[in-house]
Amino acid sequence: MATTPAAVGVTFDRSFPASLVTEFAREVDGKVDELWLIEDCFYTTAPPLAAAALAVTEELRVGLGILPAVARTAAVTAMEIATLSSLAPGRVIGGIGHGVQSWMGQMGVRPASPLTALTEVLDAVRALLAGERLTVQGRYVTLQDVQLEHLPDPVPPVLAGIRGPKSMAVAGRSADGVLVADSAGPGFIPIAREQAGSPANFQVSVFAPLITAPTRREAYTLASGWLADQLDAPTASLTAAPFYAELASRYETGGTEALVEVPADWWAELGAIGTLDDAAAHLAALEQAGADAVMFVPAPDPAVARDQLADVIRLADR
């Protein structure tokens, strides 16, 4: 059976100045499929960045990655997604997640049950975007006879940006798909679908770190700090890797320097890391595993990221 090509795109880092978003969007419009705008506390917010990106492009799909479920009311989140969709029909992808709970605590909105909050918000936002009139008295979502006046056509998908198996199950029930990040390699794609309950027409999108150099050794040296950060706070996708225990042991005994020496096939699972050919092979492996979209995550340095856009365009033009 032939593998369906994945959509290919790039992320816009949370630390980038907002003024750069139009430059990045123009550069990749018509050359890659998607641009995902990273919203994290307390940096920039995704909806205004998305409006700017959509205004200067013709083809590019723009993703909101990821709106914390409780940072806005469900009605306002739906209104923002619908408004953006009216600006550029068919070119907006919603994204909603738990948000980092310590940040939610700093804002005074940390839910006692993040799973319940995410479920209620996803259900309400998707229903409102579909044109339903809602009256809801939930634990975290309260709506009284609410219906959007400007309905998006087509209705944009809403992905859940989550990690653990319980959250993945929520995504399978209440979202159009899932966005997985943090070293989620090809081996994790079928795990994610299974944890989500294998629903029909469920989209799996992946954020893949892009760390390339002329030689693997140079790339692995560059990537060792990133991998050390991942191991300091391992996610479900990382711990699911078959080599995780040995990888963690090497890091514990040898530190960051030991990570440069881990096998090439481990790096191939962790991200688009190595030469540009290795990055292309990682993309192909994600496609083969069933990923619907792959967003390459460039360096957090704007100058480096600008140069990496050319590599993302090459990878998309395969």
Side-chain angles (χ1 to χ4, degrees):
M1 184 174 65
T3 302
T4 302
V8 174
V10 66
T11 65
F12 185 82
D13 194 79
R14 65 185 187 177
S15 64
F16 292 171
S19 57
L20 289 182
V21 74
T22 52
E23 175 190 333
F24 276 62
R26 286 191 181 102
E27 179 63 27
V28 300
D29 187 32
K31 302 169 187 173
V32 308
D33 300 301
E34 298 178 10
L35 172 68
W36 277 81
L37 306 164
I38 308 304
E39 174 170 313
D40 273 338
C41 303
F42 297 94
Y43 296 87
T44 52
T45 56
L49 292 175
L54 292 166
V56 298
T57 56
E58 298 292 336
E59 302 176 42
L60 191 66
R61 294 193 295 273
V62 175
L64 307 176
I66 292 293
L67 307 181
V70 293
R72 304 164 175 81
T73 66
V76 169
T77 297
M79 289 165 61
E80 289 184 325
I81 295 173
T83 300
L84 291 167
S85 297
S86 295
L87 290 172
R91 293 205 287 132
V92 175
I93 307 168
I96 300 174
H98 294 298
V100 175
Q101 293 305 289
S102 61
W103 293 339
M104 300 304 104
Q106 285 181 268
M107 296 189 293
V109 295
R110 183 170 184 165
S113 175
L115 289 172
T116 301
L118 182 62
T119 299
E120 290 185 1
V121 170
L122 283 169
D123 287 343
V125 169
R126 292 178 69 228
L128 288 169
L129 290 173
E132 295 185 30
R133 183 180 295 274
L134 293 186
T135 294
V136 176
Q137 186 61 58
R139 187 173 176 183
Y140 298 101
V141 174
T142 298
L143 298 169
Q144 182 62 48
D145 195 30
V146 174
Q147 186 176 37
L148 297 183
E149 294 293 338
H150 298 283
L151 293 177
D153 183 18
V155 177
V158 177
L159 308 186
I162 44 81
R163 290 171 173 166
K166 292 182 180 179
S167 298
M168 202 70 71
V170 169
R173 296 189 298 267
S174 299
D176 295 300
V178 66
L179 178 62
V180 291
D182 305 313
S183 60
F188 187 68
I189 304 303
I191 295 173
R193 289 193 182 278
E194 182 178 359
Q195 290 177 345
S198 302
N201 303 315
F202 188 76
Q203 178 174 330
V204 176
S205 295
V206 179
F207 278 7
L210 179 63
I211 307 173
T212 59
T215 69
R216 285 180 172 177
R217 177 78 182 191
E218 292 173 274
Y220 298 164
T221 301
L222 288 172
S224 59
W226 166 83
L227 182 53
D229 290 341
Q230 298 296 307
L231 289 165
D232 287 336
T235 59
S237 55
L238 180 56
T239 59
F243 51 80
Y244 171 73
E246 186 176 348
L247 177 63
S249 176
R250 290 192 185 199
Y251 177 51
E252 183 178 357
T253 57
T256 303
E257 294 78 10
L259 299 179
V260 180
E261 307 298 335
V262 303
D265 59 325
W266 294 10
W267 285 111
E269 173 68 20
L270 294 169
I273 301 168
T275 65
L276 193 59
D277 286 341
D278 290 326
H282 184 70
L283 172 59
L286 287 168
E287 289 177 332
Q288 188 65 40
D292 298 291
V294 178
M295 303 302 114
F296 290 104
V297 181
D301 181 331
V304 177
R306 280 190 182 100
D307 291 339
Q308 289 180 296
L309 291 181
D311 288 340
V312 175
I313 291 169
R314 291 189 190 96
L315 291 166
D317 187 25
R318 64 210 189 285

